[in-house]
Each structure stands twice: as structure tokens, then as C-alpha cells.
Amino acid sequence: MSSGSTPPSNVQQTAPPPAPPPENIAPVDTPQGSVGPTSAEPEVTAFDITVRAPTAVRDMLEKHLELQRYRAVTDLDEAEIERLIVLAERNVRNLVGTLGFFSPDIRITREGGVNERPVIVVAVEPGQATVIGPVALSFAGDIADSADSDATAQRGNIERDWRLPTGQPFTQDGWSSAKTQALRQLVARRYPAGRLAGSLADVDAPNHTASLRVDLDSGPLYRLGPMQVSGVERYDPVLVPRLARLNQGEVYDLNRLVEAQLRLASSGYFDSAYVFINPENDPLAVPVQVQVREARLQKIILGVGVTTDSGPRASVEHTHLRVPGIGWRATTKLQLEKKSPFAQTEWTSIPDEANWRWGVLGRVERINDEELITQAQRLRFGRSQIGDRIDRNIYLQYDRASVKGAGLADNSASATGDGSALTANYVWTGRYFDTLPFPSRGYALGIELGAGTTLGQDRQPFTRTVGRWLGIKPLESGRIAMRAEAGAVLAKDTANIPATQLFRTGGDNTVRGYGYRDIGIALANGVIGPGRYLAVGSVEWQRPITLRGRSSEFEHTLFVDAGAVADKAQDLRPSFGIGTGVRWRSPIGPLQIDLAYGLKVKQARLHISVGFVF
């Protein structure tokens, strides 16, 4: 430390304690539970304080100045006020030092006559700010001794992410924050017993520089040992380790423990979950402690909602988490609404060691798009795997559709989607966003592959393929969201493929500006039927709405949607919709309110939906 400098706390030498009050003056503290004077009892103070300094310095002094404590001592005489002014200079110097100004020009004076109310003026010229000079980060323990590439990478990440590089302004808060961040990065992976072995900020006040040194001791490398579970009585004991997916022998990673905790809490089997280790245990096989609180065996959920596609709706859902005899979870739901009411039951097993589940689904629905009424039934049996980013489904599915509506006598069953089929399907979905359900960057991909045959007297083979993509790219102001979907069903023209395997589009989450399933094949008498080829695209600019210069929970959007359905790929002709809307980051997911204009139908429509869908 160069002579003449006065460092803040946590640097080379400890700052002096706050100046004591003058003799016979006791600072007055607000009694516990008090919130200060009431409106009926205005605050009485001995003097006023005016701070004249740059904004950052003024805000600091107005908040932390010791003089503020003595304003409530109303019987101060002139001599005592003068003594307070003298003692305040050291307090001001220490406070300004925490902002990196170690050679300030401080003048504290009293204004006002003898019989006038005193005003203490604190004038500060902070001078030149101290900047960071040389920075030395040293490591001890396994992170320094290991030749493992992961240890080398972790050490490099700590050095790269150091928050006070050379040339940056020095402040006490910044110094504390930088050390905390470095230690957090050390203990987040491999080294939960890591510690800050030492630190020094050597301030050279005349040259306005601060040399920094931080010593980090990682301690030993930790690997996960056996899982010790408490709180499981109602469900299968293998459920927790299979949902947690923490392998014995893997390197400790705090993010992996947090992800396991989230999987347990969101599985439906547990109301709460807590996953942790005790660093005092054997680092070669540290036990993983899992504490859970089980959910009730059965639950019923009642719901109401509304969308512009289907209007108001009401639903009731019953879940049994362990069906007697087989131990599967059964979820049965009945939803009532004008355009697409349905009843569905889905039964799933607990995951195996590779996180695959067996499942059975049955669904009956009625789809009324104001031109055609489709009565559809579906039965599915297969396996699914839900991962952190990737979902997979393999299943056999039976579909049956019965289509009715005015003017259908002139159209064949193959054109309207009246028929039944049996298919084998594979579905793969990958989500690579920074966060959900409010992503700001990233992308997602989805692929559906199906092959099967129509049923009935004239059986015809067919294939069905669908690809989906969503990309979100950040901009300097907001982000761009781009969406694309394409699908194709390949079969003979005479094949009676059920409508649930064909395509129609239009509505809230497809092509805005058009009604629910309004885009399809034009049949006789103006009826819109399903088609064998689908193409949908969208570009949307999402921009935060600022209030008083700060981003709010609302966003404004501008978008262009396009979609087409045809029986032959070369006949695809897009229908465009353009519009604007508002997004709200609601507690249950994104709330979207859009006003769109369909260029083909020359009509404007309001679209409202909730949730992030992919």
C-alpha cells in the first residue's frame, strides 16, 4: 500500500471503524418494529444535510452517511454540531473509497445563521477513479494438480470469467462480487469443498491503481456415491433413482443435482424434492441425499379457458398415480368445448433404467370446423422417452374417422378423410433453447415418421412424414422468431386415409388471420377438406415494451404467417396473414393476443392463446 492511501474494507488493510459520536451524544435508533414517524407526527430533526457530489457518490453518501443518524438528536448545540462535522470527514472518505476514489477532495461546512436551522453541506470532488492493475488468480488442490482436461477447462473458465479485469474501475462491491463469482464457479462442479484461501487488493492511491490477488483452493475431486432416499412410502422405491438419473461414480456437478431435483418435482409423483450432498463425506463416493414429499395417490383437476379457435371450454382431469395391480399412472380427461370436445385416457408405466416408459392411449373426439364434422377415434400403444432436451416416441396407432357435412355427397371418402388406418410411428423432438417457457435464443426440431395401411375392403399402404422447426435469434432490440412446418402423406389417390392423418391448417398457432382449420382443399359446394401436403411458415419480431426506460413483462410483436394445403406438392399455394400483437410473461406461460389480417379472405381476426408450444 502506498503511503497516503486510505483503502476500503476487504483490501490490504482494514478500514477504520466509523467515527464515534461526540461526547454526551448518543445516536438515536428507531425502536424495533417502528416504521418511523406517522403522518400525524411529522419527523423532527436537528439539522438538514445537503450532499454535493457526482450522482453515484451522492447516492452512496445520502444512504450511508453517519451524520444521518444524529439528525434525530434535537438538543444539539453549536459546538456539538461542529464536532460532528469534524468527525464526519473520515466517514465520508471511507465511503467514497468503497467506490474506488482514494484521493477525494472533501469539504464539510455548516450553512445558516446562529438562529437559523443548520444545514450541513457535504461537498465531494472524488478525483480520479482507481482502475484495476495486475490481476493474479492462483489455484491449489486437485484443480491445480490434475492433468484432467475438465480441470484445465474449469480453471480456464474461472480465469476467463473474472469480473475485474485489468483496466476496469475498482469498487468494493465489484471486488466482493468478483471473488464470490470465482468461488461459485469453483464449487459448482467437481469441487464442492472449494474455498477462498486468500485475497488481497493492493491499492496505490497516488497512481490510482489496484493490484488484485485471489487464491482458490479446490480441495479434492468429488464423485457421486450411492443414493440415499427418504420420504418414499407410497410409490415404487426405484422411481426416485430412475427419475433423478444420477449415476454412481460420475463427477459432482451442481447443475446435474438441480436438474434431478426439477425432474422429481415436476414428475407429478412428488410435491417437493431436495437433492444435495454433504462435502464432509468421502469425496471418492459422496452419498447423494434425496428428500421427497410424496403427492397424493389420486387428484382431480378442474379447468376453464377460452381460445379464439374453439371458444370457451371446461375440463375435468383425474389422475391415479399407481393403479392397483400394475403400478402404472392413469390420466383421464374430459374436455367440453364447441369445436373440438374430446375424452382421453392415457396409462404410462414408471421409467426403466434407460428412461423408457410403456404407454397406452385411447381418445375419442369430435371436430367441428363449421363445414365438416369429424368423429374420430384413436388407440395407441408404444414406448416413450422424455429427456432433458430430446423426446422420443415409438408406437403403433389405430385411427378411425367418420366425416359428415353439407355437400359431401359429391365428394369421395378419400377426399373427405373418411376411413380407418393402422400405422407404425417414430417421433423425435429436440429442444435447444436457453430457457423455457420464455426462450430468448435457441432452436427446436421435430420429426414424425409413419408407415401403415388403410383398413377395410380396399387396403392401401401409405407413409406420413412431418417436419417442424422453430428458431429464435436475439437482436439488438428484441428477437426474431421463425417457424416452419412441412408434411406429406404418400399413397394412391383412391386410398381412404382417415382425416386425423391428413392436414388442414389455420388458427392461433399456425396461420393467424384465418379461422380454425380454414386452410385446406376446396371440395364441391365450397366445403374445405383435408389434404395430403402441408407447408406453414412464420416470421415474428418480438420487441420488449419499456416502461420508464426499463423492460417490462410485456412485448410487442409484428408477424407474417403463411400456410398451404394441397393434394399434390406442386399445387401448394400459400395463404398469407399479417398482424401485430402483445405478449405477457404470465405465471402460467406466455399469453399471446394477436390481431391478424388474412390477405386471402380479406378479414381481420383476434387470436388469443396461452403457453409455449412446440
Side-chain angles (χ1 to χ4, degrees):
M1 173 87 62
S2 301
S3 61
S5 64
T6 305
S9 59
N10 267 345
V11 292
Q12 188 173 15
Q13 75 179 52
T14 304
E23 186 178 357
N24 297 326
I25 301 178
V28 178
D29 294 322
T30 302
Q32 186 174 3
S34 172
V35 294
T38 65
S39 57
E41 299 176 356
E43 182 182 8
V44 178
T45 57
F47 53 85
D48 294 328
I49 298 175
T50 298
V51 178
R52 297 171 183 166
T55 302
V57 176
R58 184 178 69 248
D59 292 345
M60 161 73 77
L61 294 178
E62 288 178 345
K63 185 175 182 181
H64 298 290
L65 197 60
E66 280 286 319
L67 282 172
Q68 299 281 5
R69 302 179 59 197
Y70 302 105
R71 295 181 64 204
V73 182
T74 58
D75 58 348
L76 295 175
D77 58 27
E78 291 296 327
E80 289 167 335
I81 291 178
E82 290 299 327
R83 296 172 64 188
L84 282 175
I85 291 174
V86 172
L87 293 171
E89 194 273 344
R90 183 171 61 174
N91 174 236
V92 172
R93 187 173 298 277
N94 289 338
L95 290 173
V96 174
T98 65
L99 297 177
F101 300 102
F102 295 103
S103 302
D105 180 10
I106 301 171
R107 297 183 303 278
I108 305 177
T109 59
R110 178 199 187 281
E111 294 184 354
V114 176
N115 297 320
E116 296 178 355
R117 180 178 177 81
V119 177
I120 297 178
V121 178
V122 180
V124 179
E125 290 291 341
Q128 185 175 336
T130 298
V131 297
I132 307 302
V135 178
L137 298 179
S138 67
F139 297 88
D142 181 86
I143 195 171
D145 302 334
S146 175
D148 191 307
S149 59
D150 279 354
T152 303
Q154 186 171 357
R155 190 168 63 242
N157 289 339
I158 295 173
E159 293 172 337
R160 182 197 65 204
D161 297 338
W162 173 250
R163 291 185 173 181
L164 281 183
T166 299
Q168 291 291 316
F170 175 87
T171 66
Q172 179 63 43
D173 285 345
W175 171 230
S176 298
S177 175
K179 292 186 291 183
T180 300
Q181 173 64 18
L183 182 59
R184 184 180 292 117
Q185 286 184 266
L186 177 67
V187 303
R189 190 171 187 274
R190 298 170 62 91
Y191 308 112
R195 64 188 181 92
L196 182 65
S199 64
L200 175 67
D202 187 3
V203 176
D204 183 350
N207 292 316
H208 308 289
T209 60
S211 302
L212 307 181
R213 193 193 77 230
V214 175
D215 305 320
L216 295 169
D217 186 350
S218 71
L221 171 68
Y222 278 69
R223 294 187 179 274
L224 302 186
M227 186 173 292
Q228 300 175 352
V229 182
S230 61
V232 175
E233 299 177 357
R234 186 175 293 136
Y235 304 120
D236 193 321
V238 304
L239 186 61
V240 169
R242 290 182 181 178
L243 288 173
R245 303 203 295 271
L246 296 173
N247 300 318
Q248 191 167 338
E250 72 175 88
V251 171
Y252 167 83
D253 188 330
L254 178 60
N255 286 336
R256 291 273 295 149
L257 266 63
V258 172
E259 290 169 357
Q261 183 171 297
L262 292 175
R263 281 193 294 270
L264 290 167
S266 62
S267 68
Y269 289 99
F270 308 104
D271 289 333
S272 64
Y274 185 37
V275 181
F276 62 98
I277 67 162
N278 184 353
E280 296 182 1
N281 290 327
D282 180 11
L284 297 179
V286 60
V288 179
Q289 307 288 336
V290 182
Q291 299 174 357
V292 295
R293 181 162 59 88
E294 294 179 318
R296 293 182 179 272
L297 195 62
Q298 300 185 62
K299 63 180 179 181
I300 294 178
I301 299 176
L302 303 177
V304 294
V306 61
T307 68
T308 47
D309 277 348
S310 302
R313 67 169 179 262
S315 65
V316 56
E317 180 178 304
H318 172 264
T319 300
H320 196 303
L321 292 173
R322 192 175 187 182
V323 176
I326 60 173
W328 287 26
R329 172 163 56 187
T331 301
T332 302
K333 184 174 183 178
L334 174 64
Q335 182 163 299
L336 302 176
E337 58 181 78
K338 179 181 178 181
K339 291 189 176 182
S340 56
F342 69 85
Q344 174 179 296
T345 184
E346 183 174 15
W347 295 40
T348 55
S349 68
I350 65 173
D352 62 17
E353 293 181 355
N355 197 34
W356 284 93
R357 305 169 183 252
W358 289 102
V360 178
L361 178 143
R363 181 182 177 97
V364 177
E365 62 183 334
R366 179 178 183 270
I367 303 173
N368 181 356
D369 51 46
E370 298 180 353
E371 290 185 343
L372 298 180
I373 298 176
T374 304
Q375 303 280 359
Q377 300 86 42
R378 173 173 294 171
L379 183 63
R380 177 186 296 174
F381 173 74
R383 303 182 72 196
S384 62
Q385 184 189 57
I386 301 176
D388 297 332
R389 292 189 179 274
I390 297 175
D391 299 344
R392 299 177 176 89
N393 288 274
I394 303 173
Y395 57 88
L396 292 173
Q397 182 166 293
Y398 167 79
D399 286 277
R400 182 179 182 277
S402 174
V403 183
K404 298 179 181 180
L408 288 189
D410 298 328
N411 299 283
S412 65
S414 61
T416 61
D418 197 309
S420 58
L422 181 65
T423 57
N425 302 271
Y426 175 76
V427 180
W428 183 96
T429 303
R431 301 177 183 89
Y432 303 92
F433 297 109
D434 55 349
T435 183
L436 288 174
F438 305 105
S440 60
R441 67 174 67 232
Y443 67 96
L445 293 169
I447 299 174
E448 300 179 24
L449 302 174
T453 180
T454 61
L455 302 177
Q457 294 183 347
D458 184 20
R459 298 188 177 185
Q460 298 283 351
F462 70 94
T463 62
R464 185 178 190 270
T465 304
V466 178
R468 296 176 295 137
W469 173 80
L470 172 64
I472 298 178
K473 180 179 178 57
L475 302 175
E476 184 175 344
S477 176
R479 69 191 72 88
I480 289 287
M482 296 170 286
R483 171 169 48 91
E485 182 176 4
V489 174
L490 303 180
K492 288 184 177 180
D493 293 343
T494 57
N496 295 335
I497 300 171
T500 50
Q501 292 282 354
L502 299 175
F503 304 108
R504 291 176 67 176
T505 191
D508 294 343
N509 296 302
T510 55
V511 184
R512 289 160 288 187
Y514 297 82
Y516 178 55
R517 291 162 53 93
D518 271 359
I519 301 174
I521 302 296
L523 304 178
N525 300 323
V527 174
I528 300 296
R532 298 188 178 189
Y533 289 88
L534 167 74
V536 173
S538 175
V539 177
E540 181 172 294
W541 179 32
Q542 304 168 350
R543 185 171 61 91
I545 296 176
T546 58
L547 298 175
R548 298 177 181 175
R550 302 180 64 181
S551 296
S552 68
E553 296 297 311
F554 293 87
E555 292 182 333
H556 171 247
T557 66
L558 296 171
F559 57 84
V560 178
D561 296 343
V565 174
D567 273 336
K568 297 183 183 298
Q570 60 268 29
D571 294 335
L572 289 169
R573 299 291 184 270
S575 298
F576 289 94
I578 59 174
T580 184
V582 175
R583 303 285 181 273
W584 174 44
R585 298 166 66 99
S586 79
I588 59 175
L591 171 64
Q592 304 179 189
I593 303 176
D594 297 318
L595 181 63
Y597 181 78
L599 299 182
K600 187 173 183 179
V601 295
K602 294 181 174 56
Q603 289 183 351
R605 298 183 68 94
L606 182 67
H607 297 270
I608 301 175
S609 61
V610 178
F612 177 80
V613 179
F614 184 85

